[in-house]
Amino acid sequence: MPSTEPPSVPPANVLPKVAAVKDADGEQLRSVHLPGITLTVRSRRPARKGLPPALYVHGLGGSSQNWSALMPLLDGVVHSEAVDLPGFGESPPPDDGDYSITGHARAVLRYLDASGRGPVHLFGNSLGGAVVTRVAAARPDLVRTLTLVSPALPEIRVQRSAVPTGLLALPGMVSLFSRLTQEWTAEQRVRGITALCYGDPGKVSEEGFRNAVEEMERRLQLPYFWDAMARSARGIVNAYTLGGQHALWRQAERVLAPTLLVYGGRDQLVGYRMAQRAARAFRDSRLLTLPDAGHVAMMEYPETVATAFRELLADTADSADTVDTGKSASDESTDGAADSEPANQTTGG
């Protein structure tokens, strides 16, 4: 009987060459080699010396480009860097094949420790929101503030429109979906993603749409594209089932950093109804709800999100530079709570 798992991925050093990812005006891309992973980091030159650092983490199927609309709006207040998680953007797959929430959080922690940039203003969207929640809970010494845009925190009643994404986690679904959609063009795929992620797809400019199509064409050439998607989706599903100290809502309650929560009223992937629960879970939270926004408010309404972040900085000005640098109560290691979480390296869970 044929295997239903995605095919094995060749080592990063024998992957085919594909077109480079585009960088916007004022952005630079560089590769950072760390134990077990290589990360691509997108950065902007700071407006002046001495600005506090910020790090941005994208969602499932995204990349550091998802923050290119927001980052320049914060040039005067932070020194921005956005990371491509392992297997996404221009970052190759992790050596251990671990795409769990914990695995991605470990990658972010390794980068922060190696770069010496902490504590940072930490941003996360969707999957990235779950990842940075885990980072902030495990290592409060590395986080000044936390900004979460539609974070993928567990929901009891998942929206119907989010079910297909969750189905990617099931064994064999990637192969089936690949066969069913093999005739789809990159343009058709981008239109579908835009309709799913934006409250108003009309807000995507013609240039932005063309760039997204080119990026989709590039991604489809990568032999690990679907594997990274499936295993990361499986990681989200598995994280939803964890209990005890590793439960994401429990970890949200442990976050010490002042937190900005951003939810969209037209979000088809993360329920708008979760906004109030999140506001209660994070001990020092501020909530921004955007009735017309979808899943990627930082792309649809970057000015509004930037203004809310600036207000967060103003509210926390007295304490932003005096963040408690103590480790969490459980005295977790550099890799955080990840190391003690039950993990299945085969499934990425």
Side-chain angles (χ1 to χ4, degrees):
M1 182 175 179
S3 172
T4 57
E5 288 296 318
S8 59
V9 178
N13 61 353
V14 297
L15 291 174
K17 296 294 184 182
V18 297
V21 171
K22 288 187 176 182
D23 54 327
D25 290 342
E27 293 182 347
Q28 296 178 327
L29 294 176
R30 73 180 191 280
S31 291
V32 178
H33 301 282
L34 299 167
I37 53 172
T38 296
L39 300 177
T40 296
V41 179
R42 181 182 302 269
S43 62
R44 293 187 60 83
R45 185 182 300 276
R48 62 181 184 277
K49 291 184 178 179
L51 288 176
L55 185 69
Y56 307 76
V57 183
H58 63 81
L60 180 66
S63 74
S64 57
Q65 283 183 298
N66 290 23
W67 301 99
S68 289
L70 178 64
M71 289 197 297
L73 301 178
L74 299 177
D75 278 349
V77 293
V78 294
H79 178 191
S80 293
E81 289 188 344
V83 65
D84 287 335
L85 291 173
F88 295 93
E90 281 210 332
S91 294
D95 289 354
D96 61 4
D98 184 0
Y99 288 98
S100 66
I101 298 293
T102 290
H104 286 312
R106 187 180 296 119
V108 172
L109 285 166
R110 285 179 182 170
Y111 174 68
L112 288 174
D113 276 325
S115 68
R117 297 183 80 236
V120 301
H121 295 289
L122 194 56
F123 293 70
N125 169 233
S126 192
L127 162 68
V131 169
V132 299
T133 295
R134 186 149 297 195
V135 168
R139 291 289 303 275
D141 58 307
L142 292 178
V143 184
R144 294 173 184 250
T145 66
L146 188 64
T147 298
L148 304 176
V149 181
S150 297
L153 299 175
E155 301 182 47
I156 295 177
R157 291 183 293 110
V158 177
Q159 299 182 102
R160 289 183 180 179
S161 50
V163 170
T165 302
L167 288 177
L168 283 177
L170 297 178
M173 285 303 297
V174 167
S175 298
L176 175 61
F177 185 75
S178 298
R179 290 196 299 273
L180 294 176
T181 64
Q182 61 183 344
E183 301 300 324
W184 290 13
T185 65
E187 180 174 333
Q188 288 173 315
R189 294 175 190 272
V190 169
R191 289 194 186 281
I193 292 171
T194 301
L196 181 64
C197 292
Y198 277 72
D200 178 9
K203 294 182 73 69
V204 181
S205 67
E206 290 186 11
E207 180 182 6
F209 184 79
R210 288 196 304 272
N211 290 341
V213 171
E214 290 179 13
E215 173 62 10
M216 177 59 70
E217 290 172 341
R218 187 193 73 84
R219 293 184 185 187
L220 291 172
Q221 296 178 56
L222 297 171
Y224 56 82
F225 171 72
W226 286 113
D227 186 63
M229 286 286 291
R231 291 175 185 262
S232 291
R234 200 169 301 159
I236 295 174
V237 173
N238 288 348
Y240 277 28
T241 66
L242 287 176
Q245 65 175 328
H246 302 299
L248 283 169
W249 285 113
R250 285 282 299 275
Q251 296 202 322
E253 294 170 354
R254 291 166 50 195
V255 171
L256 301 178
T259 302
L260 171 63
L261 300 163
V262 183
Y263 281 81
R266 295 183 178 178
D267 194 332
Q268 299 181 65
L269 294 171
V270 170
Y272 190 57
R273 64 182 179 275
M274 302 305 296
Q276 292 299 328
R277 178 175 181 180
R280 292 190 299 269
F282 290 89
R283 66 179 70 188
D284 185 5
S285 67
R286 294 139 185 86
L287 177 60
L288 171 64
T289 57
L290 300 173
D292 294 326
H295 192 58
V296 287
M298 74 287 186
M299 300 172 73
E300 280 192 276
Y301 296 95
E303 295 86 359
T304 305
V305 175
T307 297
F309 175 72
R310 288 172 180 268
E311 292 173 351
L312 173 68
L313 290 189
D315 288 346
T316 59
D318 293 338
S319 59
D321 293 324
T322 58
V323 175
D324 180 3
T325 57
K327 298 290 182 69
S328 61
S330 58
D331 193 26
E332 287 143 335
S333 68
T334 295
D335 286 344
D339 288 335
S340 56
E341 175 188 319
N344 183 330
Q345 298 296 336
T346 303
T347 64

